[in-house]
Amino acid sequence: FFFFSLRGGWRGALSSVSHRRAMNNLLEVLPSNEIKFELVVGKTLERVLRLKNNNDTAVAFKVKTTAPKRYCVRPNCSVVQPGESVEVTIVMQPLKELPPSNQAVKDKFLIQGAKVLNGLAAASGDPKAVFDDVDKESIVDQKLTCAFEYPRNATDRPLAPVLEVASPLKPGAANTSGESFSPAVGGKGDDLGGQLVSEKRLSEKLARDLRDAKDRAAALERELSDERANNRDTLRALEEVQAKFVQLQAKSKSGGEKGGAEAGGVVAEKIAASPLNNMLLLVLVTLVCLLAMRVFMPQ
């Protein structure tokens, strides 16, 4: 019996290690084995899990616990984009009194993860729906035990987790270890991880838009400076043309006055010579008439 128990223990330990490696291929969980709480009466206790995606595809995860009424997890379900990390905050509700030292700690957490093959689904903003749509056979998980530590002035010894060698859940298999894991309560911060990722993406997009706007503003400023330089050149050219026009106008005015005087003299001379020409013409016409009368009239 001891031999079979020992062999089962080794198999369970090896299965636990291999399963943890399988989870690390999806999500790197820190801490990876144990969550320690330093017990304080009447105070909310918080611990942080860091989940890092080491894949080139998005990974959806869900957090479960054996004590859903004692702990609040934010976020309890989310999607981690490739190369990114999500911090999961585990909150223990305030204790009215310290638990007895002879009470073993059986609280555990179960981290489930699976790749999201549909990129559009990963970006839909509903982590629970994304996790529900993943292939159940591809889900891997990792267990974390809890350990309680008393304050230094307490006389009782720290509470250690129950030591047991149990095979973690295999992908797509039922829970045969007798442990009951329930979805951890997320509270108001249920989608905190997804919101942080969305806000991070939004901030990165705003930063890119700001850089693009600054580049466009710099380009417009350069174009405006060039346009101003061109306008200055055009203005100088117009001023030169205007100056030449004024000079030509002045010359034209002075020449017009001189030409006008000369033209006036010619007209006056023509007017003065006009009666004499008329008289000569009249004499010529009279002579022609007299000659015609002599020729055509009989003697």
Side-chain angles (χ1 to χ4, degrees):
F1 175 77
F2 174 75
F3 173 74
F4 284 106
S5 299
L6 181 62
R7 185 175 62 180
W10 275 107
R11 286 181 177 178
L14 291 175
S15 176
S16 177
V17 172
S18 62
H19 212 64
R20 184 173 293 111
R21 289 177 180 175
M23 172 59 78
N24 286 337
N25 291 333
L26 286 181
L27 293 174
E28 181 181 354
V29 183
L30 297 175
S32 59
N33 297 317
E34 185 181 73
I35 305 173
K36 293 183 180 181
F37 289 92
E38 297 179 0
L39 300 182
V40 178
V41 176
K43 183 179 179 181
T44 300
L45 306 178
E46 293 186 3
R47 290 295 179 267
V48 175
L49 290 178
R50 185 178 179 86
L51 307 182
K52 183 179 180 181
N53 185 356
N54 296 320
N55 289 271
D56 54 359
T57 59
V59 174
F61 74 88
K62 179 180 287 188
V63 182
K64 295 183 177 182
T65 180
T66 56
K69 294 183 179 180
R70 184 176 300 171
Y71 302 97
C72 178
V73 180
R74 302 191 302 264
N76 62 358
C77 185
S78 186
V79 176
V80 189
Q81 298 300 323
E84 296 185 357
S85 300
V86 171
E87 289 188 351
V88 177
T89 303
I90 299 178
V91 181
M92 177 188 285
Q93 303 300 326
L95 297 174
K96 296 182 179 180
E97 59 182 1
L98 295 177
S101 59
N102 58 356
Q103 179 180 345
V105 181
K106 297 183 180 181
D107 297 350
K108 294 182 178 65
F109 287 90
L110 183 69
I111 313 297
Q112 295 181 314
K115 289 184 178 181
V116 180
L117 301 180
N118 188 352
L120 295 178
S124 64
D126 188 357
K128 293 182 179 179
V130 174
F131 190 86
D132 292 339
D133 290 339
V134 300
D135 184 10
K136 300 301 184 292
E137 296 296 328
S138 65
I139 296 177
V140 296
D141 49 55
Q142 181 173 335
K143 290 181 183 179
L144 285 79
T145 59
C146 291
F148 295 162
E149 295 183 356
Y150 274 87
R152 293 181 179 180
N153 55 359
T155 56
D156 293 331
R157 63 175 177 84
L159 294 178
V162 174
L163 298 178
E164 59 181 18
V165 180
S167 174
L169 295 178
K170 297 181 180 180
N175 186 357
T176 58
S177 63
E179 298 169 338
S180 176
F181 286 94
S182 301
V185 179
K188 295 182 179 179
D190 188 16
D191 297 329
L192 181 60
Q195 292 176 1
L196 290 176
V197 172
S198 300
E199 290 178 0
K200 182 179 179 181
R201 291 179 181 173
L202 179 60
S203 63
E204 292 176 351
K205 182 179 181 300
L206 292 176
R208 289 193 300 269
D209 293 343
L210 181 59
R211 288 194 298 268
D212 294 341
K214 288 182 177 180
D215 293 340
R216 289 194 298 269
L220 290 175
E221 187 174 357
R222 288 192 298 269
E223 292 179 1
L224 181 59
S225 178
D226 295 340
E227 190 68 22
R228 286 176 178 173
N230 294 333
N231 289 338
R232 285 194 295 268
D233 296 339
T234 304
L235 183 59
R236 283 195 298 267
L238 289 175
E239 290 176 352
E240 293 176 358
V241 171
Q242 186 177 6
K244 290 181 180 180
F245 178 76
V246 170
Q247 293 176 1
L248 292 174
Q249 189 177 17
K251 290 181 179 180
S252 176
K253 184 176 181 181
S254 61
E257 291 177 353
K258 183 178 179 180
E262 294 177 353
V266 172
V267 171
E269 291 177 356
K270 288 183 178 181
I271 292 174
S274 179
L276 179 60
N277 293 334
N278 293 335
M279 188 176 294
L280 292 175
L281 180 62
L282 181 60
V283 172
L284 180 61
V285 171
T286 304
L287 292 174
V288 171
C289 291
L290 290 175
L291 290 173
M293 288 176 63
R294 282 190 178 194
V295 172
F296 294 103
M297 288 184 63
Q299 294 182 352

